């Protein structure tokens, strides 16, 4: 440590205000994003976010600042925050500093890269659109996900965002040769531990990397963990030439951490108290998720919607980056329809005959039309009863109720709670099932026979 001090650019801490630290350097000013270490054992990690004058920098602490005082020595590390990359990451769990947190051996050697990357240039991006099958009926039929695209899972608290993400990891990583990368931003530590065990039980841990910036960590760490995850993902895409499924839980917490950092450094708040740089910060993260001819990073992101208000700036800004929006509905969850996907509000730019094919497009459109007609008839049924409807309207209601039940599904990740074995349903089986229901093949069968099944042949 003494040797490091002799060779380094050394400064002194001028002030410590919560996570915001001002440091004075007399020799050379550290660059923006440079890492500074301070405190007795150099345990306090600070990232430079602005230059105040020719000698002073302002940084945000990524660790606790307890024990740090005015006059403490701070060392400029001369490089930004770095994380390890490579195949050795598979099956391991990390924090924002690239340190392992799974109680196994530490990673010290090998290649480490800066967490601040830039998106691939437009000339290098792939221009073909392909669909990523998830094995989840409601998503594959009505909200197809683009390979190399970004899909958002929107919903309030407790409607099943994390369960749906865990299920997607299980289905996608087990059925195609790719890498799963789970990034937990501001999540509960209980969820991190449960996810680790679930992936171990499902046998997908050896193809997965997990990285967490948990709720109890300072805002700086939560704000940077997404960038660290993307650096790891970019290695698998560009160097290992593999497809990566990147799951982020939760993008809203990333925005929230940015809001806290912005408030701490004294920026004036913008609409609804959000940071004025909200759009830029989100774009810096989202634009690095892209597909190139060597591989694709496909991202599925949970987005908590504050008070179920979809006009909130956090939700609105996130919507702009997505190719598919999967909206989860509290009403459907309370009616027992799982996954609680709102079949009418969810949408995907991929649902286009030139991409998914004419048959898939026509059936998805018929399903939506039938469900929309049923939604309109619900008020009449509530007031006058189903007997007052015309013959054709009654048929529409019967079809819609059967479709709603057929688009539910037992999950592998919830087997221990429900006691029902999980089912993986191919897109072809989903299309065939919906087509047969629309043709009234099951009009005389009870609705409950279609509830939480896999393929239609199980009826």
């Amino acid at each position: 440590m003494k040797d490091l001090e002799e060779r380094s650019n050394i400064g002194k801490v001028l002030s410590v205000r919560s996570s915001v630290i001002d440091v004075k350097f007399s020799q050379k000013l550290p660059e923006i994003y440079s890492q500074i270490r301070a405190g007795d054992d150099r345990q306090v990690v600070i990232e430079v976010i602005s230059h105040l004058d020719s000698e002073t920098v302002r940084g945000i602490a990524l660790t606790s600042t307890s024990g740090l005082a005015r006059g403490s020595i701070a060392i400029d590390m001369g490089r930004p925050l770095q994380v390890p990359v490579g195949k050795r990451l598979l099956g391991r769990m990390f924090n924002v500093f690239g340190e392992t947190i799974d109680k196994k051996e530490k990673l010290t050697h090998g290649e480490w890269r800066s967490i601040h990357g830039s998106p691939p240039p437009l000339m290098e991006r792939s221009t073909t659109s392909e669909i990523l099958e998830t094995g989840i009926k409601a998503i594959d039929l009505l909200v197809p996900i683009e390979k190399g695209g970004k899909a958002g899972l929107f919903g309030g608290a407790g409607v099943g965002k994390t369960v749906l993400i865990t299920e997607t990891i299980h289905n996608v990583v087990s059925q195609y040769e790719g890498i799963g990368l789970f990034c937990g931003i501001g999540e509960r530590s209980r969820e991190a531990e449960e996810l680790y065990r679930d992936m171990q039980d499902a046998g997908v841990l050896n193809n997965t990397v997990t990285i967490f910036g948990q709720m109890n960590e300072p805002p700086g760490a939560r704000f940077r963990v997404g960038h660290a995850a993307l650096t790891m993902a970019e290695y698998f895409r560009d160097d290992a030439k593999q497809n990566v499924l990147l799951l982020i839980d939760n993008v809203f917490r990333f925005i929230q951490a940015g809001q806290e950092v912005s408030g701490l450094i004294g920026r004036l708040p913008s609409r609804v108290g959000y940071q004025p740089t909200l759009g830029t910060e989100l774009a810096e993260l989202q634009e690095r998720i892209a597909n190139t001819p060597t591989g694709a990073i496909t991202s599925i992101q949970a987005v908590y919607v504050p008070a179920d208000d979809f006009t909130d700036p956090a939700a609105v800004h996130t919507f702009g980056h997505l190719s598919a929006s999967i909206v989860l509905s509290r009403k459907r969850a309370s009616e027992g329809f799982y996954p609680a996907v709102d079949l009418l509000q969810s949408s995907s730019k991929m649902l286009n005959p030139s991409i998914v094919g004419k048959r898939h497009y026509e059936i998805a459109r018929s399903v939506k039309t039938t469900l929309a007609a049923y939604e309109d008839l619900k008020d009449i049924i509530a007031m006058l009863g189903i007997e007052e409807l015309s013959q054709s309207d009654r048929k529409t209601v019967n079809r819609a109720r059967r479709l709603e039940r057929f688009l539910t599904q037992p999950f592998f990740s919830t087997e221990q709670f429900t006691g029902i074995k999980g089912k993986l349903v191919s897109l072809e089986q989903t299309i065939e099932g919906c087509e047969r229901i629309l043709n009234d093949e099951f009009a005389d069968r009870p609705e409950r026979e279609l509830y939480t099944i896999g393929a239609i042949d199980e009826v």
Side-chain angles (χ1 to χ4, degrees):
M1 193 62 80
K2 201 155 184 64
D3 179 44
L4 178 72
E5 286 187 24
E6 282 165 11
R7 287 185 288 113
S8 298
N9 181 19
I10 293 177
K12 276 197 172 170
V13 174
L14 289 184
S15 68
V16 182
R17 296 189 312 283
S18 181
S19 291
V20 178
I21 294 157
D22 293 351
V23 187
K24 184 173 182 174
F25 287 89
S26 48
Q27 295 164 269
K28 173 171 141 264
L29 211 58
E31 292 178 13
I32 299 283
Y33 297 146
S34 267
Q35 185 187 158
I36 295 173
R37 292 206 168 233
D40 297 337
D41 311 327
R42 309 287 169 261
Q43 289 298 312
V44 180
V45 182
I46 304 158
E47 185 178 75
V48 176
I49 47 171
S50 64
H51 291 158
L52 298 184
D53 57 44
S54 60
E55 289 189 332
T56 320
V57 296
R58 177 161 288 169
I60 199 91
L62 307 184
T63 54
S64 164
T65 56
S66 63
L68 197 63
R70 285 179 67 179
S72 294
I73 283 181
I75 298 177
D76 169 22
M77 303 303 284
R79 55 179 167 75
L81 204 61
Q82 293 185 321
V83 289
V85 293
K87 295 275 171 90
R88 61 208 168 111
L89 273 56
L90 295 174
R92 304 301 302 272
M93 191 189 257
F94 298 90
N95 64 12
V96 69
F97 307 111
E99 299 164 349
T100 51
I101 51 171
D102 51 11
K103 297 183 179 167
K104 294 181 191 166
E105 60 172 318
K106 292 186 175 178
L107 294 185
T108 46
H109 306 296
E111 190 185 352
W112 288 60
R113 288 184 188 173
S114 161
I115 65 168
H116 299 282
S118 50
L122 284 175
M123 295 299 287
E124 285 174 24
R125 301 205 183 189
S126 175
T127 51
T128 52
S129 293
E130 272 185 84
I131 298 300
L132 179 84
E133 269 194 53
T134 61
I136 299 166
K137 291 184 282 192
I139 293 175
D140 286 346
L141 179 76
L142 299 173
V143 208
I145 292 170
E146 179 186 10
K147 223 181 228 185
K150 300 178 265 283
L153 277 175
F154 290 84
V159 290
K161 294 186 296 297
T162 305
V163 170
L164 205 49
I165 273 191
T166 316
E167 186 69 8
T168 313
I169 291 185
H170 175 277
N171 292 0
V172 176
V173 175
S174 59
Q175 73 172 319
Y176 89 115
E177 290 303 305
I179 299 295
L181 204 152
F182 184 93
C183 172
I185 305 178
E187 284 302 291
R188 305 165 185 85
S189 39
R190 165 184 66 77
E191 288 180 340
E193 192 265 344
E194 278 175 11
L195 181 84
Y196 186 79
R197 275 186 297 135
D198 287 347
M199 291 201 295
Q200 212 164 15
D201 297 343
V204 296
L205 191 63
N206 293 336
N207 276 340
T208 314
V209 183
T210 45
I211 178 165
F212 289 95
Q214 289 159 16
M215 265 184 183
N216 58 325
E217 293 181 30
R222 285 179 273 130
F223 186 53
R224 284 295 176 224
V225 74
H227 298 272
L230 273 161
T231 299
M232 294 173 174
E234 283 163 351
Y235 169 86
F236 289 110
R237 180 192 66 194
D238 302 335
D239 297 44
K241 301 193 177 355
Q242 282 178 291
N243 289 324
V244 184
L245 177 69
L246 171 67
L247 297 120
I248 302 177
D249 191 6
N250 187 305
V251 171
F252 176 74
R253 306 259 176 247
F254 165 76
I255 292 170
Q256 212 172 26
Q259 187 180 6
E260 288 176 52
V261 168
S262 180
L264 285 167
I265 60 175
R267 284 191 194 131
L268 283 174
S270 168
R271 244 182 89 204
V272 201
Y274 284 106
Q275 61 272 41
T277 50
L278 168 62
T280 321
E281 287 169 2
L282 192 60
E284 276 174 5
L285 184 78
Q286 298 280 11
E287 285 306 304
R288 287 172 69 183
I289 302 168
N291 56 356
T292 64
T294 57
I297 299 177
T298 305
S299 169
I300 298 177
Q301 312 170 5
V303 185
Y304 167 71
V305 180
D308 291 349
D309 172 20
F310 283 90
T311 62
D312 188 89
V316 171
H317 275 277
T318 310
F319 265 122
H321 291 280
L322 306 173
S323 54
S325 303
I326 303 162
V327 179
L328 299 180
S329 141
R330 197 174 301 283
K331 184 167 172 286
R332 277 183 70 76
S334 66
E335 288 168 356
F337 294 123
Y338 289 104
V341 176
D342 188 318
L343 304 169
L344 293 174
Q345 261 201 305
S346 303
S347 64
S348 167
K349 292 174 186 166
M350 294 296 105
L351 196 57
N352 184 319
S354 61
I355 297 170
V356 296
K358 195 165 187 296
R359 180 168 175 246
H360 179 169
Y361 175 72
E362 294 291 349
I363 286 166
R365 217 173 60 163
S366 302
V367 167
K368 280 202 166 186
T369 309
T370 308
L371 292 169
Y374 175 43
E375 202 59 42
D376 291 341
L377 293 168
K378 275 183 178 173
D379 289 343
I380 300 171
I381 296 167
M383 287 187 291
L384 305 172
I386 200 162
E387 295 77 23
E388 297 301 314
L389 296 179
S390 68
Q391 200 65 39
S392 68
D393 281 350
R394 262 191 244 183
K395 274 188 176 174
T396 302
V397 170
N398 280 343
R399 273 179 222 139
R401 290 178 67 88
R402 280 160 179 74
L403 283 168
E404 277 188 330
R405 280 152 184 76
F406 176 62
L407 291 172
T408 60
Q409 185 170 348
F411 279 176
F412 293 96
S413 50
T414 56
E415 271 177 30
Q416 74 236 49
F417 308 117
T418 59
I420 306 169
K421 197 161 170 45
K423 300 276 168 65
L424 188 81
V425 187
S426 74
L427 178 58
E428 189 44 51
Q429 289 173 320
T430 305
I431 292 173
E432 187 202 347
C434 291
E435 190 172 35
R436 288 172 68 181
I437 292 169
L438 289 166
N439 292 337
D440 289 334
E441 270 189 52
F442 299 93
D444 53 345
R445 303 300 287 267
E447 293 168 1
R448 65 174 178 275
E449 285 187 17
L450 292 152
Y451 181 63
T452 58
I453 60 165
I456 199 80
D457 302 337
E458 292 177 31
V459 178

